[in-house]
Amino acid sequence: MSKRKGLSFDEKKSVLLAAMHNEASFFTLKELENLGKSKGVIPQAVKEVIDALGADGEVQTDKVGSQVFFWALPSQQASALRNKKQRIDAEIEKLQAELERLQAEHATLSSAPLPSEQEAMELRARAIAEGKRCEQLRAQVAAFERCGPGRLAELKRQTVTAKEAANRWADNICAIRSLFIRERRGEVTTAQFNETF
């Protein structure tokens, strides 16, 4: 005995969409599972199929209260196709106008005389001069960035870190001095210790 082969995902989509078009009604997910089961689509796959149909724009969904309703009407599909055709026609007109504008510009540029050798040399010299000026401006920008807000913020952060380190070393030296004077009581005074170090 051969086992009955299940439907592919695309077949499930087309079967469920055709069933919704035939009914021309609004459905909850539970009703769609029952409808799918009667058409050979397993209830576990209905949610995934409906999500895919919704992503394709073939099934509409709306939440009313705590219920989520799904629908796909044949007239809705025709309306969506009409809207898509109108959008495409408008885009074609826009692209045709752009094409005509570019062709006119091409005709104007191709009929214009080519620059003379002297003009070409002047344009090259001007381009070289502008390139040098651009490099100078980039160098100035780099110099300004060394003194910019980011650099100043970094210097402030480094200053705070250095101050904390200096205070830590001052505390360490005071602690060592106190310890040294306590251990050498009578031999060395604080003034003698400070003169030495």
Side-chain angles (χ1 to χ4, degrees), residues 56 79-95:
D56 294 343
S79 175
L81 288 174
R82 260 192 310 278
N83 291 339
K84 186 175 183 180
K85 183 184 181 303
Q86 288 174 350
R87 280 195 316 269
I88 291 172
D89 288 343
E91 189 172 338
I92 287 172
E93 288 177 19
K94 185 177 114 181
L95 291 174

Side-chain angles (χ1 to χ4, degrees), residues 6-183:
L7 299 174
S8 71
F9 189 73
D10 289 333
E11 290 171 339
K12 290 176 187 175
K13 283 172 58 175
S14 62
V15 165
L16 202 55
L17 185 61
M20 290 176 78
H21 282 172
N22 290 339
E23 294 284 327
S25 182
F26 300 91
F27 302 94
T28 63
L29 185 59
K30 190 70 173 168
E31 292 169 342
L32 284 174
E33 288 174 351
N34 291 335
L35 180 66
K37 187 175 181 181
S38 68
K39 301 293 182 182
V41 179
I42 59 172
Q44 295 84 354
V46 169
K47 175 72 172 137
E48 185 179 351
V49 170
I50 291 296
D51 288 342
L53 287 170
D56 294 343
E58 296 177 2
V59 171
Q60 305 300 314
T61 181
D62 198 7
K63 186 170 184 176
V64 179
S66 62
Q67 290 283 332
V68 178
F69 290 98
F70 303 92
W71 67 93
L73 306 173
S75 61
Q76 179 182 2
Q77 187 176 18
S79 175
L81 288 174
R82 260 192 310 278
N83 291 339
K84 186 175 183 180
K85 183 184 181 303
Q86 288 174 350
R87 280 195 316 269
I88 291 172
D89 288 343
E91 189 172 338
I92 287 172
E93 288 177 19
K94 185 177 114 181
L95 291 174
Q96 285 288 356
E98 179 74 12
L99 176 65
E100 290 172 8
R101 186 187 65 78
L102 290 173
Q103 285 175 340
E105 186 177 335
H106 179 265
T108 304
L109 290 175
S110 58
S111 66
L114 293 174
S116 68
E117 191 65 32
Q118 179 67 26
E119 290 173 338
M121 288 176 52
E122 288 174 4
L123 289 174
R124 282 190 203 103
R126 184 175 167 196
I128 291 171
E130 290 297 326
K132 288 179 181 176
R133 183 170 176 261
C134 183
E135 289 300 319
Q136 290 172 347
L137 290 174
R138 283 189 180 136
Q140 284 181 351
V141 167
F144 289 145
E145 284 178 352
R146 280 185 251 131
C147 299
R151 179 66 179 144
L152 291 176
E154 177 66 20
L155 286 174
K156 284 181 182 178
R157 189 188 62 75
Q158 289 176 354
T159 302
V160 168
T161 304
K163 184 178 178 183
E164 289 173 355
N167 287 339
R168 187 173 50 250
W169 278 103
D171 290 342
N172 290 343
I173 289 172
C174 287
I176 291 172
R177 181 181 61 195
S178 304
L179 180 67
F180 185 79
I181 291 174
R182 238 183 297 135
E183 288 183 1

